[in-house]
Amino acid sequence: MAEHQRLTETPDQRRVLRRAWPHLRPERRGIAVALAVSAAATATTVAVPAVIGAGVDQLLERDRTGLFTAVAALTVLALLRLVLFRTSELLLTTVGERVVRALRELAVTRLSRAPLRFLEAHPSGDLLRRTTTEIADLANFVRAQLPDVLTVAGYLVLTTVLLLTYSPLLTLALALAFVPAIVGVLKLFKRAAGPAFAAEAAAAGTVATTYRELVQSREMLLTGGGIAFWRERFLADHQRRYRAARRSQRALFLISLSRVVQSLTTAVLLLVGGWLAARGSISVGTVVVFILATRQLFDSASQASNLVGQVQVSLVGLARLLDLLTTTEPRPALAPPRPAPDDGPRPVTRERGPLDIEHLHYSYVPGREVLRGLSVRVEPGERVGLVGPTGAGKTTLAKLLTGLYTPDSGTVRYDGHDLASLPPAELRRRIVLVPQRVHMIEGTLLDNLRLVPGDPDEKTIARAVEHLGLTGWTESLDDGLHTDLGRGAGRLSAGELQLIGLVRAALLDPAVLVLDEATADIDPETAHTLETAIDALRADRTLIVIAHREATIQRLPRIIRLDGNALLPPGLTWGEWRYGYGVSGGSGPDTP
């Protein structure tokens, strides 16, 4: 079994910002300017206690000029603070939003190009949360909390410098009383918060996945009586998230111990500062500077305690997003890209070519091969039916034939070229799969038919519909091609969805068209319409049909049967298949 990377439920949160730096580098100049302005704004606030302390000393000395000078300085600082803080917030938000937008676009691009096997291996709710909710949380952090984080960090650094300038001895007393205690509190918080917030994010992803399963399977759950089972599972997932959230809140409670540390530190400063002032070692103004500056410092610490939870949530979300980006990073191609000529890239394969399957092996779990050593050749223009028991690997083979899966070993070649080495655009132009479930978007029928490369106009689509003999079907709808289908496929039957898939394929005009049980579980009239449309396809197109219906198989001159994970025999005519294997009870050739 070929290994494929999996996302980590609780990715490593160490050195997250260092790992994120490559995504920040394009905005490094804007980041530098924003940080400089933020530092200047913080400096204006840190300078306030120093000016007040100087004013107190001037007041005690009865120096009116010095006192008025201090008042004027405070006024200037207040105005500068207002302007600089506003400017820094705008700069930080602008740069941050650009970074978040780039991350969001990169995540969507990586997921859209990720191997199908990777997407199927992960809960859709978890992928959705990583690319929407957690990026939205990151954007909110950039807008609301990042300016405060930088301001708090600036306070801590600049206030320490200010205090050292005034009195190293009193600063030492502050450090001995405050730093060990606050470091201990922060260590306790960090030890508890990392696992707690990561577990809460993972539990939230599980809840989102379970809810999405309900939306997708609501009809089956209602008709099959599975609501009670699903409800128990949903409540259990919610209970796990509740416990994870409580664990996160207990971690946040630890940070509130910092307030006790602050009160004790203020008491120490008053005692030591008063003693030094009484001895004449420092002035009263210096004591005032220390009290005001440390209160400002403690306010910053309190603000930091409120921010630290949000910072932790954002770091967890960023770590999970980086895990997604790293895991979905494109791998080097099997073959080096061909140099593009001056007039643009040219196809490396012919418009119509053979499809060769050579010694194909594939498994979803180790030790249980779904396909084992398949080898077969389909010539250009052949029409082939692919039949076999349920679980024989027909749909898996269809995804391998169209390059959606990569074989564990062996190769699939079109016109002599390994599918893994073909440029994605050319692969999609040459080989197209119409799956069992045709996906729809909200909008009109025309909007849904335009979901193909080239953005065909209405006239082109109308010609394709007419060529397939489906004009009568489109005209039977309320507004023809402009019929509003609402949110998805609710207004269309399973057979009509297959008709949409067939029109999309006809617009692409691929060399190889694979239909995965296009006529299964649909009414006979729609199935006849679909089969007629299939017959209307160009005769030189290779057609591979996975089918249950005897009428569909009978239209195909060659039949390939999968049985026991192998190809037995290499090919049959309709008569050979019918009389050699039989059709029992109208259940079709997939009957085991």
Side-chain angles (χ1 to χ4, degrees):
M1 175 184 175
E3 294 295 328
H4 61 284
Q5 285 191 296
R6 296 290 302 270
L7 295 175
T8 305
E9 186 174 349
T10 54
D12 187 4
Q13 298 169 46
R14 295 173 296 179
R15 298 183 293 276
V16 172
L17 294 179
R18 181 184 300 178
R19 288 185 278 130
W21 175 246
H23 304 288
L24 302 176
R25 189 179 292 116
E27 301 292 339
R28 58 186 179 274
R29 291 183 180 177
I31 292 173
V33 173
L35 291 178
V37 176
S38 178
T42 305
T44 59
T45 304
V46 173
V48 168
V51 175
I52 293 176
V56 169
D57 286 337
Q58 299 303 317
L59 180 63
L60 293 175
E61 295 176 4
R62 301 183 183 278
D63 184 352
R64 290 189 175 184
T65 302
L67 181 60
F68 289 149
T69 301
V71 172
L74 283 175
T75 304
V76 172
L77 285 175
L79 293 175
L80 276 176
R81 182 181 183 278
L82 179 64
V83 173
L84 290 174
F85 268 114
R86 180 60 177 169
T87 303
S88 67
E89 287 181 2
L90 289 175
L91 289 173
L92 286 170
T93 302
T94 301
V95 172
E97 287 291 346
R98 286 203 295 261
V99 172
V100 169
R101 182 184 65 184
L103 286 173
R104 181 184 291 111
E105 291 175 352
L106 181 59
V108 172
T109 300
R110 290 278 177 85
L111 274 184
S112 68
R113 296 174 180 174
L116 182 61
R117 190 170 184 173
F118 170 84
L119 298 176
E120 293 177 343
H122 293 89
S124 56
D126 184 56
L127 295 177
L128 185 65
R129 181 175 176 81
R130 292 189 191 225
T131 53
T132 55
T133 304
E134 286 170 356
I135 292 182
D137 290 343
L138 183 61
N140 182 64
F141 172 75
V142 168
R143 285 191 297 266
Q145 282 82 38
L146 182 59
D148 293 338
V149 170
L150 294 177
T151 300
V152 168
Y155 281 156
L156 295 175
V157 174
L158 296 178
T159 301
T160 302
V161 173
L162 175 70
L163 296 180
L164 282 171
T165 303
Y166 269 81
S167 175
L169 183 59
L170 198 53
T171 304
L172 178 62
L174 170 64
L176 291 176
F178 180 70
V179 174
I182 202 67
V183 167
V185 170
L186 291 175
K187 281 186 175 180
L188 286 174
F189 172 77
K190 185 176 181 181
R191 187 181 305 142
F197 282 102
E200 184 179 1
T206 301
V207 170
T209 297
T210 305
Y211 184 77
R212 186 176 178 84
E213 288 174 352
L214 167 67
V215 174
Q216 293 177 335
S217 309
R218 59 191 182 280
E219 184 176 348
M220 180 198 70
L221 291 171
L222 287 171
T223 57
I227 292 293
F229 169 80
W230 179 87
R231 184 174 182 275
E232 290 179 3
R233 177 180 171 183
F234 190 65
L235 291 176
D237 290 344
H238 258 297
Q239 185 64 26
R240 282 190 288 271
R241 182 178 181 182
Y242 171 73
R243 289 196 295 267
R246 283 179 59 88
R247 186 180 174 189
S248 298
Q249 289 302 312
R250 285 196 295 269
L252 285 174
F253 174 75
L254 292 174
I255 207 69
S256 64
L257 295 176
S258 62
R259 296 186 178 88
V260 177
V261 175
Q262 294 167 17
S263 299
L264 293 175
T265 303
T266 301
V268 170
L269 281 178
L270 285 172
L271 289 174
V272 176
W275 176 68
L276 290 174
R279 292 183 54 187
S281 299
I282 59 175
S283 69
V284 175
T286 299
V287 177
V288 171
V289 170
F290 266 81
I291 297 299
L292 292 178
T294 52
R295 290 313 306 168
Q296 187 171 274
L297 189 66
F298 294 157
D299 288 342
S300 299
S302 298
Q303 190 177 8
S305 68
N306 295 328
L307 290 171
V308 72
Q310 184 59 242
V311 170
Q312 188 66 45
V313 170
S314 299
L315 288 178
V316 169
L318 181 58
R320 284 164 58 84
L321 178 60
L322 291 175
D323 180 43
L324 174 67
L325 295 177
T326 301
T327 306
T328 56
E329 187 174 4
R331 302 293 182 264
L334 296 181
R338 297 169 178 253
D342 294 338
D343 58 349
R346 294 178 180 175
V348 297
T349 58
R350 291 179 294 173
E351 186 176 351
R352 298 291 186 254
L355 191 66
D356 291 290
I357 306 166
E358 300 173 357
H359 309 295
L360 201 63
H361 290 260
Y362 189 85
S363 58
Y364 290 99
V365 294
R368 295 184 59 185
E369 287 191 321
V370 179
L371 298 173
R372 184 174 62 250
L374 298 187
S375 295
V376 68
R377 180 182 177 91
V378 180
E379 298 292 343
E382 264 200 289
R383 298 194 168 201
V384 179
L386 186 62
V387 300
T390 299
K394 301 184 297 300
T395 296
T396 301
L397 179 57
K399 293 178 179 179
L400 288 163
L401 294 179
T402 52
L404 296 175
Y405 283 174
T406 301
D408 295 341
S409 63
T411 56
V412 180
R413 301 180 185 274
Y414 171 74
D415 193 30
H417 296 266
D418 191 335
L419 298 189
S421 67
L422 290 178
E426 183 166 2
L427 175 60
R428 296 279 72 84
R429 185 166 60 245
R430 297 297 188 226
I431 307 175
V432 171
L433 170 68
V434 179
Q436 289 176 275
R437 294 181 58 189
V438 175
H439 295 282
M440 306 285 286
I441 63 171
E442 183 176 1
T444 65
L445 175 60
L446 186 63
D447 294 333
N448 279 275
L449 292 176
R450 294 177 67 180
L451 293 179
V452 295
D455 193 19
D457 57 23
E458 184 174 351
K459 291 183 179 179
T460 303
I461 292 174
R463 284 196 299 269
V465 169
E466 183 180 6
H467 175 70
L468 295 177
L470 299 177
T471 303
W473 168 65
T474 59
E475 291 179 348
S476 68
L477 301 175
D478 295 341
D479 298 306
L481 291 173
H482 296 278
T483 300
D484 188 0
L485 301 180
R487 299 184 62 85
R491 295 187 57 185
L492 300 178
S493 67
E496 289 174 318
L497 293 177
Q498 291 293 333
L499 294 178
I500 290 176
L502 197 61
V503 175
R504 289 174 182 167
L507 288 167
L508 289 173
D509 188 26
V512 180
L513 178 61
V514 181
L515 302 177
D516 187 2
E517 306 203 37
T519 59
D521 301 324
I522 63 178
D523 62 275
E525 182 178 351
T526 307
H528 176 73
T529 302
L530 183 60
E531 288 160 357
T532 303
I534 292 173
D535 289 340
L537 294 172
R538 288 175 54 178
D540 59 344
R541 178 185 288 108
T542 302
L543 186 65
I544 300 175
V545 181
I546 300 175
H548 282 80
R549 288 172 56 87
E550 182 177 332
T552 303
I553 299 171
Q554 192 171 7
R555 293 170 176 268
L556 304 170
R558 182 185 177 193
I559 297 172
I560 296 174
R561 179 179 177 88
L562 282 175
D563 199 355
N565 309 119
L567 196 62
L568 296 172
L572 297 169
T573 65
W574 158 249
E576 289 170 338
W577 173 81
R578 178 178 176 83
Y579 294 107
Y581 292 90
V583 180
S584 174
S587 57
D590 272 12
T591 302

